[in-house]
Amino acid sequence: MNRTKGDEEEYWNSSKFKAFTFDDEDDELSQLKESKRAVNSLRDFVDEDDDDDLERVSWSGEPVETLSDTPAKSYAPELGRPKGEYRDYSNDWSISDTVRRLRKGKVCSLERFRSLQDKLQLLEEAVSMHDGNVITVVLIFLKRTLSKEILFRELEVRQVALRHFIHFLKEIGDQKLLLDLFRFLDRSEELALSHYREHLNIQDPEKRKEFLKTCIGLPFSTEDSVHIQDHYTLLERQIIIEANDRHLESAGQTEIFRKHPRKASILNMPLVTTLFYSCFYHYMEAEGTFSSPINLKKTFKIPDKQYVLTALAARAKLRAWHDVDALFTTKNWLGYTKKRAPIGFHRVVEILHKNSAPVQILQEYVNLVEDVDTKLNLATRFKCHDVVIDTCRDLKDRQQLLAYRSKVDKGSAEEEKIDAILNSLQIRWKN
């Protein structure tokens, strides 16, 4: 079976296997890639009396948290005075009228609300409307017109508004103000997480590693602390492996790099991808080296199932069938060998077939599948004729064997084998 370039690059860019990774969508730490989108500017508009003719605010981006049944569409930009000449009736609008107009998507100036009391009343009115867009519009106005000390103090006692403000700061990437807010609120774990997120903006691997080192010891939860330490250790390991392998590849004297040039840098890859890379290029290395697969397994406490799956995929891609065999061969204390697969031999067969293993090897592992129905299904799918024939014989299933006879080539060795079994007088058929 011919392999496409896309298949060859599968493990460099993605992996179906689950292990330690920093972009797991189910993990708070993994939701670290904040949106780069900034809020749009309001369009120029002409304020007229006819509601239907008024320009609407142009919203974009992700929804903010909202208490209404209709999700908030996005964030309004900072509100300045509209450009151009128009008649401004805003002085005639009460706070409730202003919020009502904002909720309808109409643009109005908030500059007339100068006192702290008016600004806070405006915020409370917006919250009472249960509309995330309006709350965020007002918060942007307060952010621009109040000192951060006053703003933080007032938001602390207004939890709904506070949640909107935190979400907004994350969205626009105002990391400095977000950190100041968490310090004020004495929310140490969130402060630590926000500090950790800054590593995403550091492109240089050495600088990113040094930054991650500063994150170790911050007040994370116990589980998150383990992730931070592993992240630092993994990147440190990747930097060493990358420098060494780049040198070996450029020297052109190492067979594995000559036959299989690297598709991408190992830097900043997830752990499972690093393990695959190690099993691909450094499988036989001593445990004491940083690039040894066994070293990675022990350092990061990779489960046996994950390790076997990844090692199998790497060695099968290289068609290193001897290594595949050794991966599943165990010895007991009497010296007898047997095959054992913590992932199940049915999965072994699937991966071997995906990597174009010879039928003789496929048949060996299909035969090791314990469930008879699964074994027959795999043997039939992958044309392991001997396995199907022998299993039908052992089951004394004459009808299934007759049906399979029509699927093998006429005059083939398989057809002759089936005929010999069907004509045998020593088998007591069940049907």
Side-chain angles (χ1 to χ4, degrees):
M1 183 174 70
N2 293 327
R3 302 195 63 75
T4 66
K5 184 177 180 181
D7 289 333
E8 291 297 321
E9 294 183 355
E10 177 185 356
Y11 257 87
W12 307 119
N13 299 312
S14 65
S15 174
K16 294 180 181 178
F17 300 136
K18 283 290 191 180
F20 170 73
T21 176
F22 301 103
D23 51 8
D24 186 348
E25 292 180 356
D26 296 328
D27 192 307
E28 164 62 20
L29 265 180
S30 67
Q31 299 175 7
L32 301 173
K33 188 172 182 181
E34 300 294 337
S35 169
K36 299 297 183 182
R37 291 190 297 266
V39 291
N40 293 337
S41 297
L42 290 175
R43 293 177 291 180
D44 295 342
F45 66 94
V46 176
D47 194 357
E48 298 179 3
D49 291 334
D50 189 347
D51 287 352
D52 294 333
D53 293 333
L54 284 171
E55 290 261 15
R56 297 281 179 170
V57 177
S58 176
W59 305 101
S60 67
E62 297 294 331
V64 293
E65 178 184 1
T66 178
L67 302 179
S68 65
D69 293 333
T70 304
K73 296 179 182 178
S74 181
Y75 315 106
E78 296 202 16
L79 298 176
R81 296 182 185 278
K83 299 176 182 178
E85 294 184 3
Y86 65 95
R87 297 178 65 189
D88 187 358
Y89 297 106
S90 61
N91 288 330
D92 298 330
W93 300 336
S94 66
I95 289 176
S96 59
D97 287 338
T98 301
V99 171
R100 180 182 59 80
R101 289 175 63 81
L102 287 173
R103 190 180 187 187
K104 290 182 177 180
K106 301 171 184 177
V107 181
C108 52
S109 173
L110 303 182
E111 299 296 327
R112 63 181 287 261
F113 302 110
R114 297 181 180 276
S115 71
L116 177 60
Q117 181 180 354
D118 283 350
K119 291 174 182 178
L120 295 178
Q121 188 178 343
L122 187 67
L123 178 60
E124 289 170 357
E125 186 73 24
V127 170
S128 70
M129 288 286 185
H130 309 309
D131 189 300
N133 287 323
V134 177
I135 295 171
T136 308
V137 168
V138 174
L139 284 170
I140 294 170
F141 171 64
L142 299 187
K143 173 179 176 287
R144 184 166 57 81
T145 59
L146 294 177
S147 69
K148 67 180 180 182
E149 291 79 11
I150 294 175
L151 178 60
F152 292 171
R153 183 189 70 204
E154 298 300 336
L155 288 178
E156 186 177 19
V157 296
R158 295 170 173 83
Q159 289 298 305
V160 173
L162 177 62
R163 290 197 298 272
H164 280 277
F165 192 62
I166 289 172
H167 191 99
F168 171 71
L169 293 180
K170 288 179 179 179
E171 186 68 17
I172 66 172
D174 194 338
Q175 192 70 10
K176 184 179 184 304
L177 190 59
L178 188 61
L179 291 174
D180 289 343
L181 176 58
F182 286 147
R183 287 191 188 96
F184 176 87
L185 298 171
D186 195 26
R187 286 159 64 161
S188 58
E189 189 172 338
E190 289 177 87
L191 176 63
L193 285 170
S194 291
H195 178 73
Y196 172 66
R197 288 187 182 98
E198 292 185 25
H199 84 270
L200 294 167
N201 300 319
I202 304 174
Q203 300 303 316
D204 181 83
E206 285 288 349
K207 291 181 179 178
R208 179 179 283 202
K209 183 191 76 171
E210 291 306 311
F211 176 82
L212 289 172
K213 190 174 183 179
T214 69
C215 296
I216 298 173
L218 290 178
F220 295 103
S221 67
T222 302
E223 182 181 0
D224 288 347
S225 292
V226 173
H227 279 280
I228 301 298
Q229 179 65 62
D230 281 350
H231 191 173
Y232 169 77
T233 304
L234 180 63
L235 181 56
E236 183 181 45
R237 183 77 55 92
Q238 288 173 340
I239 290 172
I240 295 171
I241 296 172
E242 176 66 21
N244 183 63
D245 287 2
R246 191 187 303 120
H247 172 73
L248 291 175
E249 189 173 32
S250 62
Q253 297 178 355
T254 307
E255 184 179 5
I256 185 68
F257 290 113
R258 288 201 311 270
K259 287 186 175 180
H260 304 278
R262 299 188 309 152
K263 299 293 191 298
S265 166
I266 197 62
L267 294 174
N268 298 316
M269 290 292 183
L271 176 59
V272 70
T273 309
T274 306
L275 177 61
F276 177 88
Y277 177 98
S278 179
C279 289
F280 194 92
Y281 287 109
H282 302 282
Y283 192 64
M284 301 306 295
E285 284 188 8
E287 184 182 329
T289 63
F290 281 150
S291 49
S292 160
I294 296 297
N295 190 304
L296 285 171
K297 181 179 186 295
K298 291 186 175 181
T299 299
F300 297 100
K301 298 179 176 60
I302 299 172
D304 285 344
K305 288 185 177 181
Q306 180 66 74
Y307 178 81
V308 170
L309 270 173
T310 309
L312 170 62
R315 302 320 290 173
K317 188 175 285 292
L318 285 169
R319 302 178 67 79
W321 309 126
H322 176 75
D323 291 340
V324 170
D325 186 68
L327 192 62
F328 301 108
T329 301
T330 61
K331 275 188 180 182
N332 64 15
W333 63 280
L334 292 174
Y336 295 109
T337 61
K338 64 176 296 185
K339 290 286 197 302
R340 187 181 70 86
I343 59 175
F345 282 111
H346 64 289
R347 298 192 71 183
V348 175
V349 171
E350 296 279 2
I351 294 172
L352 290 175
H353 178 262
K354 181 179 179 182
N355 287 279
S356 306
V359 68
Q360 295 86 353
I361 292 175
L362 279 178
Q363 287 193 152
E364 177 184 356
Y365 285 95
V366 170
N367 260 326
L368 292 170
V369 176
E370 292 185 2
D371 182 78
V372 175
D373 291 336
T374 303
K375 179 192 292 188
L376 276 173
N377 178 268
L378 290 170
T380 303
R381 281 172 56 200
F382 301 143
K383 298 182 179 180
C384 298
H385 300 308
D386 284 342
V387 177
V388 177
I389 295 168
D390 292 344
T391 303
C392 289
R393 179 199 61 200
D394 294 343
L395 292 174
K396 299 179 174 57
D397 192 334
R398 181 182 178 87
Q399 296 304 315
Q400 189 165 352
L401 191 57
L402 279 170
Y404 195 73
R405 186 179 186 279
S406 64
K407 297 180 180 179
V408 301
D409 295 336
K410 295 291 184 183
S412 65
E414 289 79 18
E415 185 180 59
E416 292 179 5
K417 183 176 181 179
I418 291 173
D419 288 342
I421 293 173
L422 290 173
N423 294 327
S424 173
L425 299 177
Q426 298 178 354
I427 301 175
R428 298 182 64 180
W429 300 103
K430 292 193 304 184
N431 51 31

